Amino acid sequence: MRPAPARPKDEAPSKGLRVFGSLLAPTTVLTALLFYFGTRHATFFCQWFGVHYSVLGLSAPDYLIRSSDGMFVPLTVLAAAGLAALWGYRFLHSALTPRTWRALTRRAVPVLVSLGLVLLVLGLVGLAVPTLLYPVPGLPGVCVALGVILFPAAEHLHATRSGRRVAGVVPVIQWTFTFVLASIGLFWAVTDYSAAVGEARGYEYETKLGSMPKTVVFSAKDLGVRGPGVTTTVCTAPDTAFKFRYDGLVMVLQSSSQSVLLPKGWNRRDGVAVVLPRTGDTRLEFEPADAQRDRSC
């Protein structure tokens, strides 16, 4: 009887990665994550103006588009850091002599383990005391993800140096737990970062209200829109369908059924946002910020 062929040394991690890929493959999982991150972005963006996002009736595409604003930087940094670590590892492994490489890995293993412990503790502190690391959005989650990944990296270097590898189901289980914990950390980080970006976009809009395009509202009835810089003009033409005109407003968000408008002089201390339903009794016109048109109807 022929002996069973020996399994390649890296078969267990490769098998684990294939399993993880099959779990992430469904488009519905990725879409759900993007939808969630977009919801966090919209929540804190609208909250900056004192508006609850749920009253706007934003659609799924609206949330998916907003999610890109909160995921672009984290994904770019993650991909760049991963490639840099991989290229650095391969370069050193090929450039150094075997003796120097073994000496380097011998010193690197305890450093990676210690750094992983420090990052995990820092991430857990951020979980227990969220306000402690609040100034750096996403830092606790990143610390957890990196801390978890450093342990199997240290084990890989140790196994490479000693020539001993653990076979069987243990590596698959280890990679599974590592993947789960690292995914939770990254999910946590992107969630915090998306919320911070949404809030930052709200502040950015507030600082640029004076230079943003003007929104002119025409209405068949008096809407009672008031605010700093807002002027109301009554249209006296007998055949006009819109009797009232409101100038001095800026649109910051629009959904399929609602429009969020702010006076040009709006501020967070005492400002009020206007949520205007889209109906046949109103009409919106837009002008460049430096346009000089008369206010007659």
Side-chain angles (χ1 to χ4, degrees):
M1 176 180 289
R2 289 185 178 179
R7 297 194 310 173
K9 293 181 178 180
D10 293 332
E11 180 179 346
S14 300
K15 181 179 180 181
L17 292 176
R18 287 197 298 270
V19 174
F20 303 148
S22 65
L23 292 176
L24 291 179
T27 307
T28 53
V29 176
L30 179 60
T31 303
L33 290 175
L34 294 176
F35 183 86
Y36 177 76
F37 295 139
T39 302
R40 295 288 292 176
H41 185 287
T43 297
F44 283 82
F45 177 80
C46 295
Q47 185 174 295
W48 185 265
F49 305 111
V51 179
H52 198 281
Y53 79 98
S54 61
V55 304
L56 302 178
L58 295 173
S59 63
D62 293 328
Y63 291 122
L64 295 179
I65 292 173
R66 286 188 170 274
S67 67
S68 62
D69 192 26
M71 293 187 67
F72 178 77
V73 172
L75 290 181
T76 302
V77 172
L78 177 63
L83 283 176
L86 180 61
W87 289 340
Y89 173 83
R90 298 183 64 180
F91 172 77
L92 292 176
H93 189 271
S94 60
L96 299 178
T97 63
R99 182 177 180 180
T100 306
W101 174 253
R102 286 194 297 271
L104 178 63
T105 55
R106 184 171 61 252
R107 293 180 174 84
V109 168
V111 172
L112 291 177
V113 172
S114 301
L115 183 58
L117 288 174
V118 171
L119 290 174
L120 276 179
V121 170
L122 188 60
L124 293 177
V125 168
L127 178 63
V129 189
T131 56
L132 185 63
L133 301 178
Y134 182 79
V136 185
L139 180 59
V142 171
C143 289
V144 171
L146 288 179
V148 169
I149 292 174
L150 288 179
F151 292 115
E155 183 189 25
H156 174 75
L157 290 179
H158 177 71
T160 302
R161 181 173 60 86
S162 61
R164 294 179 299 178
R165 294 178 181 271
V166 179
V169 72
V170 174
V172 176
I173 296 176
Q174 175 181 293
W175 277 94
T176 302
F177 288 152
T178 301
F179 173 79
V180 171
L181 291 175
S183 298
I184 291 174
L186 292 176
F187 181 86
W188 180 11
V190 177
T191 298
D192 287 351
Y193 184 79
S194 295
V197 170
E199 193 174 73
R201 291 289 182 255
Y203 172 76
E204 183 180 344
Y205 267 74
E206 180 183 356
T207 59
K208 296 181 178 179
L209 284 176
S211 60
M212 293 179 65
K214 304 174 184 178
T215 302
V216 183
V217 179
F218 294 87
S219 175
K221 301 179 181 179
D222 185 6
L223 300 176
V225 178
R226 305 291 184 268
V230 178
T231 59
T232 304
T233 303
V234 179
C235 303
T236 57
D239 57 344
T240 182
F242 301 98
K243 297 292 184 179
F244 299 89
R245 168 176 172 159
Y246 302 91
D247 294 270
L249 294 168
V250 174
M251 177 177 290
V252 296
L253 182 63
Q254 186 176 44
S255 65
S256 59
S257 59
Q258 308 276 4
S259 300
V260 179
L261 305 171
L262 296 177
K264 277 189 172 291
W266 185 92
N267 61 80
R268 290 200 74 195
R269 185 180 66 257
D270 55 4
V272 176
V274 178
V275 179
L276 184 66
R278 298 182 64 180
T279 65
D281 294 333
T282 59
R283 186 181 85 240
L284 302 180
E285 289 187 0
F286 303 94
E287 303 174 355
D290 55 352
Q292 299 295 328
R293 294 176 55 187
D294 60 53
R295 295 182 177 178
S296 61
C297 297

